[in-house]
PDB file of all heavy atoms in Angstrom:
ATOM      1  N   GLY A 362      -7.377 -32.600  -4.463  1.00 74.00           N
ATOM      2  CA  GLY A 362      -6.757 -31.370  -3.925  1.00 74.00           C
ATOM      3  C   GLY A 362      -5.744 -30.889  -4.950  1.00 74.00           C
ATOM      4  O   GLY A 362      -4.735 -31.471  -5.150  1.00 74.00           O
ATOM      5  N   VAL A 363      -6.075 -29.816  -5.638  1.00 78.00           N
ATOM      6  CA  VAL A 363      -5.199 -29.306  -6.666  1.00 78.00           C
ATOM      7  C   VAL A 363      -4.153 -28.383  -5.991  1.00 78.00           C
ATOM      8  O   VAL A 363      -4.475 -27.427  -5.314  1.00 78.00           O
ATOM      9  CB  VAL A 363      -5.976 -28.519  -7.748  1.00 78.00           C
ATOM     10  CG1 VAL A 363      -5.025 -28.043  -8.785  1.00 78.00           C
ATOM     11  CG2 VAL A 363      -7.060 -29.324  -8.327  1.00 78.00           C
ATOM     12  N   MET A 364      -2.897 -28.712  -6.279  1.00 79.00           N
ATOM     13  CA  MET A 364      -1.846 -27.816  -5.821  1.00 79.00           C
ATOM     14  C   MET A 364      -1.257 -27.041  -6.997  1.00 79.00           C
ATOM     15  O   MET A 364      -0.776 -27.624  -8.009  1.00 79.00           O
ATOM     16  CB  MET A 364      -0.701 -28.698  -5.247  1.00 79.00           C
ATOM     17  CG  MET A 364       0.571 -27.905  -5.028  1.00 79.00           C
ATOM     18  SD  MET A 364       0.883 -27.620  -3.293  1.00 79.00           S
ATOM     19  CE  MET A 364       1.009 -29.218  -2.556  1.00 79.00           C
ATOM     20  N   PRO A 365      -1.436 -25.745  -6.963  1.00 78.00           N
ATOM     21  CA  PRO A 365      -1.068 -24.921  -8.157  1.00 78.00           C
ATOM     22  C   PRO A 365       0.440 -25.005  -8.387  1.00 78.00           C
ATOM     23  O   PRO A 365       1.183 -25.302  -7.434  1.00 78.00           O
ATOM     24  CB  PRO A 365      -1.458 -23.476  -7.770  1.00 78.00           C
ATOM     25  CG  PRO A 365      -2.230 -23.572  -6.493  1.00 78.00           C
ATOM     26  CD  PRO A 365      -1.963 -24.870  -5.932  1.00 78.00           C
ATOM     27  N   ALA A 366       0.853 -24.712  -9.627  1.00 78.00           N
ATOM     28  CA  ALA A 366       2.283 -24.760  -9.903  1.00 78.00           C
ATOM     29  C   ALA A 366       3.024 -23.617  -9.215  1.00 78.00           C
ATOM     30  O   ALA A 366       2.386 -22.576  -8.992  1.00 78.00           O
ATOM     31  CB  ALA A 366       2.513 -24.682 -11.399  1.00 78.00           C
ATOM     32  N   GLN A 367       4.212 -23.726  -8.909  1.00 77.00           N
ATOM     33  CA  GLN A 367       5.099 -22.668  -8.379  1.00 77.00           C
ATOM     34  C   GLN A 367       4.639 -22.132  -7.067  1.00 77.00           C
ATOM     35  O   GLN A 367       4.870 -20.986  -6.774  1.00 77.00           O
ATOM     36  CB  GLN A 367       5.162 -21.569  -9.396  1.00 77.00           C
ATOM     37  CG  GLN A 367       5.439 -22.000 -10.789  1.00 77.00           C
ATOM     38  CD  GLN A 367       6.474 -21.170 -11.485  1.00 77.00           C
ATOM     39  OE1 GLN A 367       6.567 -20.003 -11.243  1.00 77.00           O
ATOM     40  NE2 GLN A 367       7.237 -21.812 -12.325  1.00 77.00           N
ATOM     41  N   VAL A 368       3.879 -22.884  -6.259  1.00 78.00           N
ATOM     42  CA  VAL A 368       3.639 -22.398  -4.941  1.00 78.00           C
ATOM     43  C   VAL A 368       4.692 -22.887  -3.988  1.00 78.00           C
ATOM     44  O   VAL A 368       5.364 -23.883  -4.303  1.00 78.00           O
ATOM     45  CB  VAL A 368       2.277 -22.854  -4.375  1.00 78.00           C
ATOM     46  CG1 VAL A 368       1.156 -22.351  -5.289  1.00 78.00           C
ATOM     47  CG2 VAL A 368       2.182 -24.251  -4.214  1.00 78.00           C
ATOM     48  N   ASN A 369       4.771 -22.228  -2.915  1.00 78.00           N
ATOM     49  CA  ASN A 369       5.671 -22.630  -1.796  1.00 78.00           C
ATOM     50  C   ASN A 369       4.981 -23.735  -1.014  1.00 78.00           C
ATOM     51  O   ASN A 369       4.101 -23.450  -0.253  1.00 78.00           O
ATOM     52  CB  ASN A 369       6.028 -21.484  -0.925  1.00 78.00           C
ATOM     53  CG  ASN A 369       7.213 -21.808   0.026  1.00 78.00           C
ATOM     54  OD1 ASN A 369       7.278 -22.912   0.452  1.00 78.00           O
ATOM     55  ND2 ASN A 369       7.941 -20.809   0.302  1.00 78.00           N
ATOM     56  N   LYS A 370       5.296 -24.999  -1.276  1.00 81.00           N
ATOM     57  CA  LYS A 370       4.492 -26.124  -0.816  1.00 81.00           C
ATOM     58  C   LYS A 370       4.319 -26.142   0.698  1.00 81.00           C
ATOM     59  O   LYS A 370       3.289 -26.303   1.204  1.00 81.00           O
ATOM     60  CB  LYS A 370       5.119 -27.434  -1.232  1.00 81.00           C
ATOM     61  CG  LYS A 370       4.805 -27.791  -2.640  1.00 81.00           C
ATOM     62  CD  LYS A 370       4.940 -29.315  -2.859  1.00 81.00           C
ATOM     63  CE  LYS A 370       4.695 -29.650  -4.346  1.00 81.00           C
ATOM     64  NZ  LYS A 370       5.592 -28.994  -5.241  1.00 81.00           N
ATOM     65  N   TYR A 373       2.115 -23.294   1.828  1.00 85.00           N
ATOM     66  CA  TYR A 373       0.794 -23.513   1.251  1.00 85.00           C
ATOM     67  C   TYR A 373       0.006 -24.538   2.033  1.00 85.00           C
ATOM     68  O   TYR A 373      -1.192 -24.311   2.319  1.00 85.00           O
ATOM     69  CB  TYR A 373       0.959 -24.024  -0.255  1.00 85.00           C
ATOM     70  CG  TYR A 373      -0.320 -24.275  -0.965  1.00 85.00           C
ATOM     71  CD1 TYR A 373      -1.036 -23.145  -1.559  1.00 85.00           C
ATOM     72  CD2 TYR A 373      -0.819 -25.535  -1.072  1.00 85.00           C
ATOM     73  CE1 TYR A 373      -2.137 -23.454  -2.241  1.00 85.00           C
ATOM     74  CE2 TYR A 373      -2.012 -25.782  -1.774  1.00 85.00           C
ATOM     75  CZ  TYR A 373      -2.636 -24.724  -2.361  1.00 85.00           C
ATOM     76  OH  TYR A 373      -3.822 -24.931  -3.017  1.00 85.00           O
ATOM     77  N   ALA A 435       1.302 -17.622   0.107  1.00 83.00           N
ATOM     78  CA  ALA A 435       1.934 -18.862  -0.429  1.00 83.00           C
ATOM     79  C   ALA A 435       1.236 -19.277  -1.763  1.00 83.00           C
ATOM     80  O   ALA A 435       1.744 -20.078  -2.507  1.00 83.00           O
ATOM     81  CB  ALA A 435       1.770 -19.926   0.558  1.00 83.00           C
ATOM     82  N   SER A 436      -0.020 -18.789  -2.036  1.00 81.00           N
ATOM     83  CA  SER A 436      -0.728 -19.277  -3.181  1.00 81.00           C
ATOM     84  C   SER A 436      -0.168 -18.830  -4.530  1.00 81.00           C
ATOM     85  O   SER A 436      -0.481 -19.273  -5.614  1.00 81.00           O
ATOM     86  CB  SER A 436      -2.181 -18.814  -3.172  1.00 81.00           C
ATOM     87  OG  SER A 436      -2.821 -19.374  -2.123  1.00 81.00           O
ATOM     88  N   ASN A 437       0.681 -17.796  -4.452  1.00 79.00           N
ATOM     89  CA  ASN A 437       1.311 -17.270  -5.657  1.00 79.00           C
ATOM     90  C   ASN A 437       0.306 -16.780  -6.680  1.00 79.00           C
ATOM     91  O   ASN A 437       0.323 -17.124  -7.844  1.00 79.00           O
ATOM     92  CB  ASN A 437       2.227 -18.367  -6.324  1.00 79.00           C
ATOM     93  CG  ASN A 437       3.198 -17.766  -7.295  1.00 79.00           C
ATOM     94  OD1 ASN A 437       3.434 -16.627  -7.277  1.00 79.00           O
ATOM     95  ND2 ASN A 437       3.717 -18.599  -8.239  1.00 79.00           N
ATOM     96  N   GLU A 538      -6.851 -20.289  -4.395  1.00 77.00           N
ATOM     97  CA  GLU A 538      -6.115 -21.342  -4.889  1.00 77.00           C
ATOM     98  C   GLU A 538      -6.323 -22.647  -4.120  1.00 77.00           C
ATOM     99  O   GLU A 538      -5.676 -23.670  -4.336  1.00 77.00           O
ATOM    100  CB  GLU A 538      -4.593 -21.044  -5.030  1.00 77.00           C
ATOM    101  CG  GLU A 538      -4.260 -19.925  -5.937  1.00 77.00           C
ATOM    102  CD  GLU A 538      -4.345 -20.352  -7.383  1.00 77.00           C
ATOM    103  OE1 GLU A 538      -4.663 -21.537  -7.577  1.00 77.00           O
ATOM    104  OE2 GLU A 538      -4.093 -19.556  -8.246  1.00 77.00           O
ATOM    105  N   TYR A 539      -7.172 -22.573  -3.116  1.00 81.00           N
ATOM    106  CA  TYR A 539      -7.311 -23.788  -2.272  1.00 81.00           C
ATOM    107  C   TYR A 539      -8.514 -24.605  -2.670  1.00 81.00           C
ATOM    108  O   TYR A 539      -9.565 -23.966  -3.022  1.00 81.00           O
ATOM    109  CB  TYR A 539      -7.429 -23.363  -0.800  1.00 81.00           C
ATOM    110  CG  TYR A 539      -6.129 -22.973  -0.174  1.00 81.00           C
ATOM    111  CD1 TYR A 539      -5.705 -21.679  -0.146  1.00 81.00           C
ATOM    112  CD2 TYR A 539      -5.382 -23.935   0.390  1.00 81.00           C
ATOM    113  CE1 TYR A 539      -4.516 -21.317   0.445  1.00 81.00           C
ATOM    114  CE2 TYR A 539      -4.127 -23.627   0.977  1.00 81.00           C
ATOM    115  CZ  TYR A 539      -3.718 -22.338   0.939  1.00 81.00           C
ATOM    116  OH  TYR A 539      -2.522 -22.006   1.512  1.00 81.00           O
TER     117      TYR A 539
END
Side-chain angles (χ1 to χ4, degrees):
Chain A
V363 181
M364 169 107 59
Q367 314 224 327
V368 300
N369 192 326
K370 281 205 181 59
Y373 180 81
S436 296
N437 196 19
E538 294 286 1
Y539 281 92

